[in-house]
Amino acid sequence: MEKKKKTPKAVTTQEENKSYLRKIFVMLREIEVAVNAQRHEKYNNTEVRLMNEVVYTTGMGERVISTQLASRLGITRSAVSQIVAKLEGEGVLRRVPDEVDKKIAYVELSEKSMGTYKALIQGYTDFVGRVVAYMGVSKMDKMLALADDFSAAVENACAECRAEEKDAK
């Protein structure tokens, strides 16, 4: 019999939690503003994230379809379809039909756009280098280790909420 994971006891007040939430939102907004300031390209955050997912998946030796992109990006299939259509029209992405099931179309970065994508990523990489220069390597490493802990805590809390929702049904 599987033991139910015990929820850690709350150690903060609602007001403290609201303060943490505000600080998290501010941090995320500042990161987004900083990234946008670095962008000299014509792509918005969602378009760049979609391209990143396509490149990442391809780098893992896999292929990706629009439904998977929607799930990974947390947006609708319709939104993915619009983004893919736009980027396909610009020659950035291409849809490649499956050899067996013609209803399935894989999304790939076009050969033509690989240089543009690499330049975009290089700009982001240079920006991160500037941030590290201000923070220092040690603080950056600590911050990223804490970010990993934060991500794990978020996943645990999400799993707990999903389990509670399932139990309530």
Side-chain angles (χ1 to χ4, degrees), residues 141-154:
D141 288 342
K142 287 177 186 174
M143 192 259 326
L144 292 174
L146 288 170
D148 287 343
D149 292 347
F150 179 79
S151 293
V154 167

Side-chain angles (χ1 to χ4, degrees), residues 3-9 160:
K3 252 188 172 177
K4 196 169 186 179
K5 205 174 195 180
K6 187 176 179 185
T7 303
K9 185 178 178 190
E160 183 179 297

Side-chain angles (χ1 to χ4, degrees), residues 25-40:
F25 283 154
V26 167
M27 181 178 64
L28 293 174
R29 186 179 68 232
E30 287 173 354
I31 290 169
E32 184 175 355
V33 167
V35 167
N36 285 335
Q38 288 300 304
R39 188 177 300 125
H40 303 290

Side-chain angles (χ1 to χ4, degrees), residues 30-40 119-135 140:
E30 287 173 354
I31 290 169
E32 184 175 355
V33 167
V35 167
N36 285 335
Q38 288 300 304
R39 188 177 300 125
H40 303 290
L120 184 67
I121 296 305
Q122 185 60 52
Y124 291 147
T125 302
D126 292 345
F127 179 74
V128 168
R130 289 176 185 222
V131 172
V132 172
Y134 280 104
M135 276 187 83
M140 180 62 92

Side-chain angles (χ1 to χ4, degrees), residues 52-119:
N52 283 338
E53 282 298 328
V54 171
V55 170
Y56 175 77
T57 303
T58 303
M60 299 295 289
E62 300 172 8
R63 299 172 94 185
V64 66
I65 61 174
S66 293
T67 304
Q68 293 167 315
L69 288 169
S71 175
R72 292 176 189 174
L73 298 173
I75 60 177
T76 65
R77 287 183 295 168
S78 174
V80 168
S81 181
Q82 289 174 6
I83 293 168
V84 170
K86 175 190 173 205
L87 296 177
E88 189 174 33
E90 294 176 5
V92 175
L93 296 178
R94 61 185 178 164
R95 295 177 218 214
V96 179
D98 184 73
E99 296 80 22
V100 177
D101 186 349
K102 299 299 180 194
K103 293 180 199 171
I104 296 175
Y106 296 102
V107 179
E108 298 177 353
L109 202 62
S110 71
E111 290 298 321
K112 170 185 153 187
S113 67
M114 191 53 90
T116 302
Y117 176 79
K118 286 181 180 177

Side-chain angles (χ1 to χ4, degrees), residues 39-52:
R39 188 177 300 125
H40 303 290
E41 304 296 325
K42 56 186 173 184
Y43 308 114
N44 66 36
N45 285 347
T46 306
E47 292 164 347
V48 172
R49 288 176 49 223
L50 186 139
M51 287 188 277
N52 283 338

